[in-house]
Amino acid sequence: MSMVQSQAYTSLSNLLEKHTGQTLMANRHWRIDMALKPLMRENSIPDLDTLISLIDIDADPKLTSACVEAMVNNETCFFRDQANFALLTGPVLDMLREQRMGTKKLRIWSAACSTGQEPYSLAMAFNENAEKWRGWNIQIFATDVSSSALAQARAGRYSQFEIQRGLPVMQMLRYFDQSGEDWIAKENLRRAVTFTEHNMLNPAPHFGKFDVVLCRNMLMYLGEKRRTQVLDAIGTRMADDGILMLGAAETVIGQTQDFRASQEFRGFYEPVSRAASHLNAAHRIFG
């Protein structure tokens, strides 16, 4: 790789981190080429240097946004990490159901939801247990930084390859209709999820409090400070007795003091109580 190429990759990696917090290590620079080639071809841009020059002079803000969106990692699938997902939709939700029997309200946030397979998987899981949740007000809220990913999520349109990844045939036929080579979520499934564009690096003051937050396989692409920033932001939106679900390779340990590992459910996390937080702060100050 030439020095010019290296500088181009660094500039584009910095652009991605600035807008989304995601970092691209040097051994992942191949993703930049793969992601940006269609965009460059569509806009008749001959090479990365020209692209960077256009971004630097802000020739077209839409081009910058499209460039960032193209580089964002949108990897996802239905019922991802099946064992952990089954733990969530079984014992974890059963615990919350018992705790909230008085209000019969449950709010779930699928953060960094990409093209929507995760929140739709949740909606299907609730529908599969409709009798258990009859009479409940269940809100599934899903956000992502990518407007193009959210557009696909709202449409509920998936290719044959996407629909087959993790989705059993019976559920595919029950919740999706075939349209040419694609599959489209039925209206009742699409109505079950509210999609909103949101950058996890920014606060979410209007979202309210959530009983469950899923932020899976996002932190692994962030630098240390960004991980703490995102976890702290999530902490402000969690119910005191809520549950946080991260990706299988992610943890809160060493990242934040707002969460601790759940004592009941391995791989899940719970907010540290405000009282405990204040006690810890006093201990740090006064020894």
Side-chain angles (χ1 to χ4, degrees), residues 178-287:
Q178 192 166 14
S179 175
E181 296 182 356
D182 293 339
W183 291 79
I184 301 176
K186 294 184 178 181
E187 185 178 357
N188 64 332
L189 182 61
R190 285 184 279 117
R191 283 203 312 263
V193 182
T194 299
F195 292 99
T196 300
E197 187 171 340
H198 175 64
N199 189 328
M200 292 298 293
L201 300 181
N202 299 330
H206 63 288
F207 288 176
K209 295 285 187 176
F210 291 92
D211 305 297
V212 181
V213 175
L214 295 83
C215 185
R216 299 196 293 162
N217 304 298
M218 175 202 175
L219 297 181
M220 61 194 295
Y221 296 109
L222 306 182
E224 183 177 347
K225 290 183 179 179
R226 297 294 199 186
R227 289 196 295 270
T228 299
Q229 182 180 347
V230 168
L231 287 169
D232 289 349
I234 290 174
T236 66
R237 300 271 60 88
M238 291 283 296
D240 288 344
D241 58 347
I243 288 288
L244 170 65
M245 184 181 188
L246 300 179
E250 297 169 327
T251 182
V252 302
I253 297 173
Q255 311 296 329
T256 179
Q257 296 184 14
D258 288 348
F259 292 94
R260 64 186 178 192
S262 169
Q263 297 182 7
E264 294 184 66
F265 306 110
R266 185 176 180 180
F268 289 77
Y269 303 90
E270 58 191 19
V272 175
S273 70
R274 293 177 183 174
S277 295
H278 293 161
L279 182 63
N280 290 337
H283 180 73
R284 288 195 302 273
I285 294 171
F286 300 110

Side-chain angles (χ1 to χ4, degrees), residues 29-243:
H29 281 166
W30 59 269
R31 285 199 67 250
I32 293 177
D33 286 321
M34 183 178 68
L36 295 181
K37 278 183 179 177
L39 177 66
M40 293 166 62
R41 186 163 52 247
E42 180 182 342
N43 290 274
S44 302
I45 298 173
D47 51 46
L48 291 179
D49 285 338
T50 303
L51 175 62
I52 293 168
S53 296
L54 292 171
I55 292 172
D56 285 344
I57 64 173
D58 200 21
D60 182 358
K62 290 183 179 180
L63 177 63
T64 301
S65 297
C67 184
V68 171
E69 289 217 4
M71 292 189 291
V72 169
N73 190 322
N74 284 320
E75 173 64 21
T76 187
C77 65
F78 290 100
F79 298 97
R80 190 174 187 178
D81 299 327
Q82 289 188 9
N84 278 6
F85 200 87
L87 181 58
L88 169 68
T89 56
V92 173
L93 287 182
D94 285 346
M95 177 198 69
L96 289 169
R97 182 176 181 274
E98 183 176 341
Q99 292 175 347
R100 283 146 177 75
M101 190 61 73
T103 62
K104 291 191 174 182
K105 292 182 180 179
L106 198 64
R107 301 189 77 236
I108 301 174
W109 180 12
S110 171
C113 71
S114 185
T115 45
Q117 285 92 323
E118 177 177 271
Y120 282 139
S121 296
L122 279 167
M124 285 184 276
F126 277 109
N127 194 70
E128 294 292 304
N129 293 278
E131 190 61 38
K132 179 193 291 186
W133 297 100
R134 190 175 303 279
W136 280 70
N137 178 5
I138 296 171
Q139 298 178 0
I140 302 175
F141 193 69
T143 66
D144 199 84
V145 69
S146 170
S147 58
S148 60
L150 285 175
Q152 180 181 347
R154 290 190 184 100
R157 179 180 286 269
Y158 300 99
S159 67
Q160 187 70 42
F161 172 75
E162 290 170 320
I163 203 74
Q164 288 179 326
R165 293 189 65 198
L167 187 63
V169 172
M170 290 302 296
Q171 287 174 308
M172 178 182 74
L173 296 175
R174 185 177 304 143
Y175 296 105
F176 294 83
D177 293 318
Q178 192 166 14
S179 175
E181 296 182 356
D182 293 339
W183 291 79
I184 301 176
K186 294 184 178 181
E187 185 178 357
N188 64 332
L189 182 61
R190 285 184 279 117
R191 283 203 312 263
V193 182
T194 299
F195 292 99
T196 300
E197 187 171 340
H198 175 64
N199 189 328
M200 292 298 293
L201 300 181
N202 299 330
H206 63 288
F207 288 176
K209 295 285 187 176
F210 291 92
D211 305 297
V212 181
V213 175
L214 295 83
C215 185
R216 299 196 293 162
N217 304 298
M218 175 202 175
L219 297 181
M220 61 194 295
Y221 296 109
L222 306 182
E224 183 177 347
K225 290 183 179 179
R226 297 294 199 186
R227 289 196 295 270
T228 299
Q229 182 180 347
V230 168
L231 287 169
D232 289 349
I234 290 174
T236 66
R237 300 271 60 88
M238 291 283 296
D240 288 344
D241 58 347
I243 288 288

